[in-house]
Amino acid sequence: MDPRLTEMLFGSSDPGFDPGDAEARAAYFAAMEDDDDDDDGLAGSLDEVLANQIAGGEPPAVSAAALRLLGAGVAPASVMGQLRAVLLSALLDALDGDERPAFGGDLAAPAMARYQAALDRLPLPGGDDLQAALLSVVRAQPRITIDEAFEAALGEIGAGSGDRLSRSMLGYILDDLTEEEEILALLPGDRLVHLGDLLAGTVLTRRLNAEEIESDVLDLSFDLAPLSAVEAAVVDGTEVEIVEWSGGIGWHGPAGWLRHHSPGSLVSVTMISAAPGEPGEARIDGPLEPREPEGDLIEAVRDAYDQTNLEAGLPVEGRELLVSLLAADPARWHAPQPPLHELCSAAGLERRGHQVAHSEEVWAAAASFARRVRVGEALDDTKDIDTVLDALAAFEDPAASAAQLRASLRAIAAPELRQVTAEELSARSDAHGGPDPGPTPCERAVAAAVLPGELIVAHWLAAVVAERNGDPHLASAHLDLGLEADDRSPVLLDRAAWYASDRGDAPAALALWRRLGPAGRSNADAVAPYAASVAPVTGRNDPCWCGSGRKYKYCHRGQPRPLPLSERVGWLCQKATWYLERRGGEAAMDVIGLAATRAVAAGEDPDEVLESMLSDPVVIDVALTEGGWWKRFLAERAALLPDDEAMMAESWSMVERTLYEVVSSQPGVGLVVRDLRSAEVVEVTERSFSTQARAGQVVCARAVPVADEGHQLVGAVFPVAAGTESRLLDILDGGDPFELCRWVGALDRPPHMLTREGEAIVECVATLRVGDPTAARAWLERTYEPDGDDAWSEMHPLGDEERILRAQLTLQGDQLRVETASEERMDRVLAAVTAAVPDAEVLSDLRRPLDPGELPAPPAGMGRGGPGLAAGGLKDLPAGALDDLQDTMERRWLGEQIPALGGLTPRQAASDPAARETLVRLIDGFPDPASLPAGAFSMRPERLRQELGLR
C-alpha cells in the first residue's frame, strides 16, 4: 500500500502492523471503536470499508481519488471525510434502489458505477460555491421552486442533477439561509425568494403605541415582521439594532428616537436597502391618513392565508403571510397600505400574538400540535408519548368515564410519565399565571380513583396543579389525602416533607424524609440542624409565643416557637433551592440552560458535567435572583412560610447583586464591606467566608437585611479579579442570568496558552517528501539558521535583543520534518517550503491543541546545542538562569499595556491615583512563588511592588 494512503488511513506510515493483512486491519478498527466512546460506529465502519477497498484495489477509483486529493494538498483528514461522504451516499443510493448495499460486500453494478463516477468527481464542491450558486439562481428567478433552484444551482457549478451529495449539501445550505441567516424566504408551494431583494423599496405601516415610544423600540413582531430579518439598520440617519423579548422582536434605537411621533399615529417604514450582511437603510414617515382596505387586497390576504394554512392546517405567522403578499405583488407594496393587523381583521382572521387563524379549530390544532411536540421532546419512547397524550385527553374530557380515568391514572404511574403529565396539566397555569375557570381535570381524576395506586397519582397530580395555581394549602390537603391512601408512597412523602419544611416544622419534615431511607438522607441532613435547635414548646395555657395575647392552646397549639430569624437564613435559602428542584416546568428548563451555559463557558462538555452543575450554588443563586425565580418562589410558597420569614424574603427581593470590597474582616464572626456601586459601608455577619477574606479583596455577592439584626451574605459569593470590576458591573446592570453564568464559568476555564506573538499554542508536526534533497538542503541553508546536523531553526526577533524560536526543521533523506507551536507558524513554513521546493509534497500535517495544564513538548531537535531549554526543563537550568528569566519577564510586564489596568502599563498605573488601587489588587492576586510546585515559576509580587514603589 502506498505510504501516503497508509498514513491517511491509520495516522502513520508505519502503523505497527501489515496494512495489507485483512485480519490486522479488522483488529485495528475494532480497537479504535472500543476506544472511542462517543462514536456511533458509523465513521469507523466506513473507514474499514474504505481501507479494505484500498488494500484490495477494488474499485481502483478509491485509491486514485485519495492520491489525487493528497497530491493536490488536501489534508488527509479532509480526504477521509470526502471518501466517507461518497461511500455513505453510494450505500444510501443503493438502498433506495433495492440494490446490495452491505458493508464489506460488492455493490451491484449500477450502484458501483455511480459510486466510481462520484469518486471521479472529487473533490466535492465547496459549501461557499454551492451557496453562491443557489443565491444567484433565486435572485435571478424569484418564486422559483426548491427543486428547480437545486437543479439550476448544480448546473451552475458543473455538477450533474444526480449528484446526491451536492444536492444533500444544498439542503443543509437552504436550511441555514432560510432559518438561521434569513437571507431567503420560503413561500407556499415550496417556492423561494431573496428576502433582501424583496424588501428593497417595500413600504409597511404600523400604528405606534406609547410603550414603543417610551422604550425606544419599534415593534417588528407582526405588522412589520419581515423587517426583523434586518438585524442592524440606519433609520432616518439613526443606527438601530435588533432586540428580542418574550414573544416579540423589534428595532432598538437611541433615547428619544421615536418621540416626535404620537401614540396611535399611523406611520410607514420604507426599506431603502436590505442587502444581506450589511446594515439596512430605512426611513419612517408619518403620521399618515388612515385608509380603508381595498377589496382586492382583502381577498389577496385571505388567499395568501389559505395557501399557507392548507399546507399545515395551523395558524399562520404574520411574517409568513406578509412575505407571501409582498412576493405575489411587489409593486403594490411600494406604497403605504393599511397595517397587516387591520387587513387580517377585514379578511376574517383572528390575531393572537404574532399568528392569525380563521377558526377556533385551527387554534385548537395548534395547541394539540404544540403539546405533542413538548411531550415528544420530554419522552423518547413513542408508546410513552401516546400514553401521556391519551391520559391528558381523558383527564380534560368532561365526558370521560370513571373507568377511562382510572385506566389513565394507572397508565402514567411511572415517575417520568407522571411528571410529564403534571407539566402539561400545569402548562396553562405557567402561561396565564393562574388557574383556569371551572373544575380542573384533576378533580375528575381524584373523584374516579379507587385503588391506592390510583389515589396516589391523582392526589399527586392535583397537588402539583394546585401549587402552580398559587394554592399551596389545597396542594397540602391533597398530599395528606394521598398519604391516607398509602402512607409509604415515596413521591408523596418527599413532597409532604417539603411542605412541612416550608411551614417551619423541621421535626415533621425530618421524620418524613427519614422514612424515605437513603433517598431522603441528603434532605434530612439539611433540615436536621433546625429540628434539633427548635425552642421549647410553650405550655398549653401560657400566652402564645407569637404575641397575639391568646392562650397557646387556642392560637399556635402544636407549633413550636420558631428559631430566631437570624438562625433561619440558611434554611430559607434551602427552601428556595428545594422549590427549584421540585417545581419542574419552566424552572427546570431555566436551571438546565444556566447550568449548560456555565459549563460551556468553563470549557466543559455539558453532557459530562450537567448533573453536577444542576446543584451548583452559582447556577441556583443566579436562577433565583437574576432569573426571577425568587419572586416566583414567594408567589407560590409565601403562604406556607412563617410570617416573619415571608416578610424577610420579600425584603430580599429588592436587594440586587453587586460588588463589595472587603474593608476589614474578623475571622469566624463577620466582615465590613463597601458597595462599589453606592459606596455604602455594610457590616455583615458571616462565619465561613470571613475566615478567608482579606482587606482590599473584591467579591460579587448579595448582602441582605435580616430583620433588625444587620446583614448576611446569601447565595453565591465569588471573587472578582482586579480590572474586571467595570465589566462585571455592566453585566449585573444588564440583569441577564445567562451572561452572568458565562462570566462566572469563564473563571473556571483553564488558561488560554498563547505564544509570545499572541497565537494559540497548538502542537504542529508536518512531514513533506522532497524530490531533490540536495536542492532542498541548499534552500534550508539559505533560509534558516543551522541547528546541528540536518537541522535548522527559524528565529524571530522581538526587540531588545530578544529572539524566539518559530520553527524547527529536520531533513532526513527525502523527508523534511517541520515542528511549530502554532498553526499560523506552520502555515507560513509550509507555504514557504512548497513555494521554494516545487516538488515538495505534504505527507502528513498533524495539529493538536494542548490539554488544559499541558506544556508544549520541545521540538525533537532541541537539546542538541540548538536554542531553547534543556530536556530536563527548568530544574536543569544553570544557577542564576531562573532569576535572569524572571527578571526579564518582570521588566517586560512593567512596560506592557495591561487590559485589566485600562490599557495603562503597571508603571503608568502606579503613578495614576485612579488606577493605583486596581494595580495593588492585581499584584495581590498573583500566586506566591513559594506555593508553586517544583519546576514552575511566576513573577514575584514583592519584587514588583518594590519596582513600582508600592511597599
Side-chain angles (χ1 to χ4, degrees), residues 18 32 39 49 224 311 428 512 525 608 627 774 793 844 849 878 888 901:
D18 180 5
M32 292 293 291
D39 201 312
V49 173
L224 310 175
E311 292 188 357
R428 190 174 296 274
L512 288 166
D525 290 345
E608 295 180 0
T774 302
S793 299
S844 65
T888 300
L901 299 175

Side-chain angles (χ1 to χ4, degrees), residues 579-604:
Y579 164 76
L580 275 184
E581 291 174 352
R582 288 165 175 78
R583 190 191 186 275
E586 293 175 313
M589 295 305 296
D590 281 358
V591 172
I592 291 172
L594 292 170
T597 298
R598 181 177 179 185
V600 170
E604 302 277 3

Side-chain angles (χ1 to χ4, degrees), residues 84-102:
R84 286 191 205 106
V86 172
L87 176 59
L88 180 59
S89 177
L91 294 170
L92 294 174
D93 184 41
L95 185 63
D96 288 345
D98 196 24
E99 299 166 351
R100 184 181 173 191

Side-chain angles (χ1 to χ4, degrees), residues 422-440:
E423 298 296 346
E424 284 303 309
L425 291 174
S426 305
R428 190 174 296 274
S429 298
D430 272 348
H432 300 287
D436 287 329
T440 67

